[in-house]
Amino acid sequence: MTGEIGQLALCLALALAIVQAGGGLMGLRSANAARIATSAALGQFVFVALSFGALMAGFVTSDFSIADVANNSHTLKPLIYKITGVWGNHEGSMLLWVLVLSVYSAAIAFLKRGGEQLTAAALGVQGLLAAAFILFILLTSNPFARLDPMPFEGAGLNPLLQDPGLAFHPPTLYTGYVGLSATFAYAAAAMLTGDIDRAWARAARPFMLIAWIALTLGIAGGSWWAYYDLGWGGFWFWDPVENASLMPWLVATALLHSALATERTGAFRVWTLLLSIMAFSLSLIGTFLVRSGVITSVHAFASDPKRGVFILLILSVAILGALTLFAWRASKLESGSAFAPVSRETTLLVNNIFLVGALAVVFLGTVYPIVLAAFGMKISVGAPFFEVFFAPIFIALMIVLPFGPRLNWRRGDLNAAFRTLLPALGFAAATAVVVLAVASPRALVGAGAFAVAGWVIGASAVDLVKRLRERTISVAALAAILAHAGLGITLMGVAGTNLWRVESLEVLAPGEVMTIGGYDLRFDGVRGLEGPNYRAAHADIDVLSGDRVVAHLSPERRMYPAEGQETVQTAIRTNGFEDLYVALGDDRGQGKWTLRAYVNPLAPFIWLGAGLMALGGLASLWSRVRAMFFAREAAEPAAA
Amino acid sequence: MTPKKRRRLAFAIALLVAGAGGAALVVYALQDNVLYFYSPSDVAAKHIRPGTAFRIGGLVEGRSVRHGKGAAVSFVITDGKSRMPVAFAGVLPALFREGQGVVAMGRLDAAGTFDADEVLAKHDERYMPPEVVDALKRSGRWKEGQ
């Protein structure tokens, strides 16, 4: 029964999405139609949520008459993975995609930012997207398809996904991906209404921020998941699926910055529009890459060529439609306000050029193998390609970064800005000296990377101290301070881990000790353990300091009989500055096992920095939300 | 042309040249960093020189896995027509078994052994690396529904 309710609710949601699209687009002329679009958006959200709830009920009660549940669940699976398993498969994850889209539509309808007309047009665009994706689900990926006869037991969920990471990684990432649809919808709405001034950028700002924060957290969370779950000691593999999430982030970051200028002085109006279109287009391309089966990975649940073609169709129509609108409207725009070569606008321009350059590199490296595969050539692009371009671009970006917040709009004073940055320069030099003195082996590249990180963090600190002293600190100012410092801290983590990681691989018999990076690890053997739906080989390892045991590590290998798969559970001990990371290898007989251990210096900084960046985004969001609800609209516009 | 327009044109041309230069550089670097995928038969047919990095895929030949000193392990990858001995020092993936599909990344040494830096197996019972499926199809070892 739940299956039928879900299916019916989804069909009704489709009808309402079409009404929302029609009403929204007609809402440009008629206030009545605009009101219909608003109600339709709220109704569509209710029905998509109902449909999603029905699927979740199917998973929780293990209703194997639903094919999706039978193929991806199991009665013995712990409840948390029954719930999160809803989106641990293709059909359910697309339904989550649509659910998030409808939440954004409802929020746009409820908040009515930028006035009735802009809201209606934005809802129209959102409605078109929702209709396309609900149709995609109903026609190619129906999560409520029935199985007859109904099996007694489900096939289970890929054990790699039976991890708490599944609870937060897909929802946050989708909040980011799909959140860019709201920005896209507002940009398209502005072009439809013809009022391409600053209003739309201001209206779209909170959605832009939410999307960016969620993308930041989603990417960082995914990288943390890969770090502890795969047992390879790495946190980023330049895998096409990772790149698919990085690309929208790069553009969203550029967009956040260029939209600041657009809101404040009207500069980069055309460019900001284009970035909004690009950001969501890359979200769609990401969805296509991950969901179409073009790329095989843990994220590509199943491949069915029909699906790929359908998403490709949605993608082409959305991108081409938006670009056509853009070509038609943008050519009629007067050029934006002028600014001097030394001004905040210039630094934002530089920021955008670097970020889009980084995007181009990632895009080429990701798409090139796919294009060649169409001609029968099988290649993969290695990490060195990405690193050789990505690192210098980001370093250059971060050298310029501290000047941005210190230069005035339209015309700035470079000398004055540089004078206030002298303490940061001192801090950068000190960081480099410390790194050269402490770290071994000595690496000039590392010293350089740390100098740049120190420069950015120092600039944030200088700003914070100055504002605290002058009592000009505000939430909006704090946003830039936190986000920029976070970037510096992440760079330290990335550089530290990549340049000074120590790795060791040994076959150990019980009682034997291996030494790695100043830690002595005593292997005390492997025991068999029974989990709820797996059998584990559980290793006991004591970390020794002299004769004293200072910590206990227990990495595992887990065998899941229902799915016929094995996973690795790493054991990580961190002191906040470095991670001791141990993974259990294979059984070599007579109680001997291979053990793989890493010491990753500064690895925690990678995620600490990402967290700070997200916190910066939250601060900026908070300053907007406060303005929205406490009517202090003009109190501090666009400072962050 | 007004001076303003001339300035703009110069700016546009400079941007175009810089962009084209950058793109050329990126594509050039791309050529050096791609890893080709070969089956054991391809390696035999194409006379690949030692030292060239590539990926190789096929089935792990039955009874070919030997554990050496420490973490060293050797095995043979086959596509039914040709065989390729592989040497590896590291942790084999969880689903590495004789008779199953694997992809290895590395380079040929002078003796004709494939020196692997990384070995990937299929990551669940249902999934086989698509390259391996293709390689097996070409050598006639693949049956539909397998």
Side-chain angles (χ1 to χ4, degrees):
Chain A
M1 192 55 202
T2 45
E4 279 67 37
I5 294 176
Q7 170 101 18
L8 192 65
L10 199 57
C11 292
L12 286 172
L14 173 63
L16 284 171
I18 294 169
V19 172
Q20 178 191 330
L25 295 177
M26 281 190 282
L28 287 168
R29 298 242 164 68
S30 132
N32 269 336
R35 272 195 293 278
I36 290 173
T38 309
S39 318
L42 296 173
Q44 188 221 330
F45 161 67
V46 170
F47 281 108
V48 173
L50 187 64
S51 174
F52 191 80
L55 186 62
M56 192 175 273
F59 268 87
V60 169
T61 59
S62 292
D63 179 356
F64 296 132
S65 70
I66 299 173
D68 193 37
V69 180
N71 291 335
N72 300 291
S73 201
H74 194 281
T75 47
L76 289 180
K77 204 166 64 170
L79 180 64
I80 164 99
Y81 301 132
K82 285 182 182 163
I83 296 172
T84 58
V86 173
W87 53 81
N89 59 80
H90 170 80
E91 289 83 357
S93 89
M94 286 318 298
L95 194 56
L96 178 67
W97 207 100
V98 169
L99 177 67
V100 177
L101 186 67
S102 72
V103 170
Y104 277 107
S105 285
I108 292 172
F110 181 72
L111 294 171
K112 292 200 175 57
R113 290 178 65 81
E116 293 283 344
Q117 217 191 8
L118 193 69
T119 302
L123 283 178
V125 177
Q126 288 276 103
L128 286 175
L129 290 169
F133 274 94
I134 296 175
L135 208 57
F136 168 75
I137 292 178
L138 287 173
L139 293 182
T140 72
S141 327
N142 189 353
F144 299 106
R146 289 291 190 180
L147 260 192
D148 186 29
M150 165 179 152
F152 286 113
E153 192 48 274
L157 174 68
N158 182 345
L160 270 180
L161 299 179
Q162 297 193 28
D163 185 282
L166 186 62
F168 70 86
H169 173 59
T172 36
L173 204 55
Y174 276 8
T175 306
Y177 264 164
V178 183
L180 292 172
S181 80
T183 315
F184 172 84
Y186 271 113
M191 292 190 283
L192 285 169
T193 57
D195 180 19
I196 317 176
D197 204 19
R198 309 171 197 176
W200 79 269
R202 172 170 286 220
R205 183 79 182 173
F207 298 106
M208 219 182 271
L209 279 165
I210 291 171
W212 183 84
I213 295 165
L215 265 180
T216 308
L217 290 175
I219 294 172
S223 132
W224 166 240
W225 190 1
Y227 177 69
Y228 73 71
D229 209 50
L230 291 179
W232 297 340
F235 59 93
W236 192 264
F237 302 94
W238 297 104
D239 183 270
V241 174
E242 293 170 331
N243 296 345
S245 66
L246 183 62
M247 289 191 283
W249 185 85
L250 290 169
V251 179
T253 311
L255 175 62
L256 275 184
H257 289 88
S258 90
L260 271 185
T262 306
E263 256 185 88
R264 182 63 183 246
T265 70
F268 311 138
R269 278 184 296 187
V270 176
W271 178 239
T272 303
L273 275 178
L274 191 62
L275 280 179
S276 303
I277 297 172
M278 263 169 73
F280 184 59
S281 301
L282 285 164
S283 287
L284 286 176
I285 291 172
T287 308
F288 168 70
L289 288 179
V290 177
R291 287 281 164 270
S292 64
V294 172
I295 298 165
T296 42
S297 79
V298 68
H299 296 82
F301 297 116
S303 48
D304 174 353
K306 235 180 12 189
R307 290 175 183 163
V309 172
F310 203 120
I311 302 185
L312 202 56
L313 199 70
I314 299 179
L315 185 131
S316 321
V317 171
I319 298 178
L320 287 178
L323 287 180
T324 310
L325 198 60
F326 175 77
W328 176 45
R329 288 293 193 184
S331 61
K332 292 181 186 154
L333 263 185
E334 304 263 313
S335 64
S337 71
F339 53 89
V342 176
S343 64
R344 190 178 292 186
E345 285 93 328
T346 306
T347 59
L348 291 174
L349 183 66
V350 171
N351 154 303
N352 273 235
I353 290 173
F354 283 135
L355 284 171
V356 172
L359 164 79
V361 169
V362 179
F363 188 82
L364 259 173
T366 309
V367 170
Y368 186 62
I370 298 171
V371 173
L372 281 196
F375 298 102
M377 295 215 287
K378 292 196 195 77
I379 61 150
S380 60
V381 175
F385 165 77
F386 294 103
E387 279 156 13
V388 84
F389 285 103
F390 209 76
I393 290 176
F394 255 79
I395 293 288
L397 172 67
M398 289 171 74
I399 291 173
V400 182
L401 187 153
F403 290 100
R406 282 177 179 70
L407 294 174
N408 286 330
W409 295 102
R410 294 204 170 91
R411 181 180 296 279
D413 182 346
L414 195 60
N415 284 329
F418 191 71
R419 272 197 301 279
T420 64
L421 280 170
L422 282 175
L425 199 63
F427 186 65
T431 319
V433 169
V434 168
V435 166
L436 281 177
V438 173
S440 74
R442 242 174 233 155
L444 224 49
V445 183
F450 273 81
V452 172
W455 164 245
V456 171
I457 297 168
S460 276
V462 167
D463 220 19
L464 184 65
V465 169
K466 179 165 171 282
R467 280 176 179 275
L468 282 176
R469 199 181 285 158
E470 293 172 1
R471 296 179 187 280
T472 52
I473 190 78
S474 66
V475 185
L478 203 58
I481 292 174
L482 283 174
H484 292 163
L487 183 62
I489 288 172
T490 296
L491 174 63
M492 284 190 171
V494 171
T497 313
N498 279 344
L499 293 169
W500 292 291
R501 154 183 303 157
V502 199
E503 180 181 354
S504 177
L505 180 70
E506 281 186 42
V507 179
L508 294 181
E512 286 185 330
V513 174
M514 76 189 276
T515 303
I516 177 166
Y519 296 93
D520 288 330
L521 308 178
R522 189 181 65 211
F523 177 56
D524 294 330
V526 168
R527 300 177 268 151
L529 283 184
E530 287 289 327
N533 56 344
Y534 59 83
R535 286 190 305 274
H538 176 102
D540 290 299
I541 295 163
D542 284 328
V543 183
L544 305 176
S545 165
D547 287 336
R548 220 158 42 84
V549 174
V550 290
H552 184 83
L553 293 175
S554 10
E556 288 183 352
R557 280 179 93 115
R558 292 181 181 168
M559 176 68 205
Y560 289 76
E563 295 86 359
Q565 285 183 64
E566 224 176 73
T567 65
V568 181
Q569 293 293 118
T570 57
I572 301 172
R573 179 173 184 264
T574 183
N575 60 9
F577 289 95
E578 67 177 20
D579 285 356
L580 170 64
Y581 180 112
V582 183
L584 184 61
D586 34 12
D587 189 352
R588 288 299 171 88
Q590 293 149 1
K592 285 186 184 171
W593 286 74
T594 25
L595 274 185
R596 183 190 272 194
Y598 301 88
V599 173
N600 290 328
L602 297 184
F605 279 33
I606 299 170
W607 297 286
L608 176 70
L612 276 181
M613 281 189 250
L615 207 61
L618 268 179
S620 182
L621 182 65
W622 171 243
S623 71
R624 297 304 174 112
V625 170
R626 205 174 48 180
M628 206 182 331
F629 291 110
F630 300 100
R632 287 176 46 190
E633 191 70 41
E636 208 160 4
Chain B
M1 235 192 265
T2 62
K4 194 176 169 188
K5 275 191 180 158
R6 199 172 304 143
R7 243 196 348 260
R8 252 193 212 166
L9 187 69
F11 180 70
I13 290 174
L15 207 65
L16 217 64
V17 169
L25 202 67
V26 171
V27 170
Y28 180 73
L30 200 54
Q31 298 297 331
D32 278 353
N33 278 296
V34 298
L35 288 174
Y36 284 86
F37 177 89
Y38 298 123
S39 67
S41 303
D42 290 336
V43 179
K46 291 190 172 153
H47 306 290
I48 289 157
R49 273 175 301 148
T52 320
F54 62 94
R55 294 185 303 149
I56 185 165
L59 300 178
V60 181
E61 198 174 69
R63 283 194 284 275
S64 72
V65 180
R66 303 262 179 283
H67 287 290
K69 232 176 77 184
V73 60
S74 70
F75 55 93
V76 172
I77 291 181
T78 174
D79 59 0
K81 275 190 178 155
S82 305
R83 319 164 67 239
M84 170 60 67
V86 179
F88 178 59
V91 172
L92 292 169
L95 282 157
F96 181 91
R97 302 266 185 284
E98 290 181 347
Q100 297 220 330
V102 285
V103 174
M105 206 184 294
R107 42 186 60 73
L108 278 181
D109 67 7
T113 301
F114 189 76
D115 207 355
D117 307 321
E118 208 178 317
V119 174
L120 307 167
K122 61 179 196 170
H123 61 222
D124 71 48
E125 287 291 306
R126 286 172 262 177
Y127 169 76
M128 177 84 112
E131 289 103 336
V132 174
V133 173
D134 266 12
L136 293 176
K137 273 185 183 161
R138 272 183 286 136
S139 69
R141 281 268 311 257
W142 178 262
K143 293 170 201 71
E144 284 306 327
Q146 191 168 337

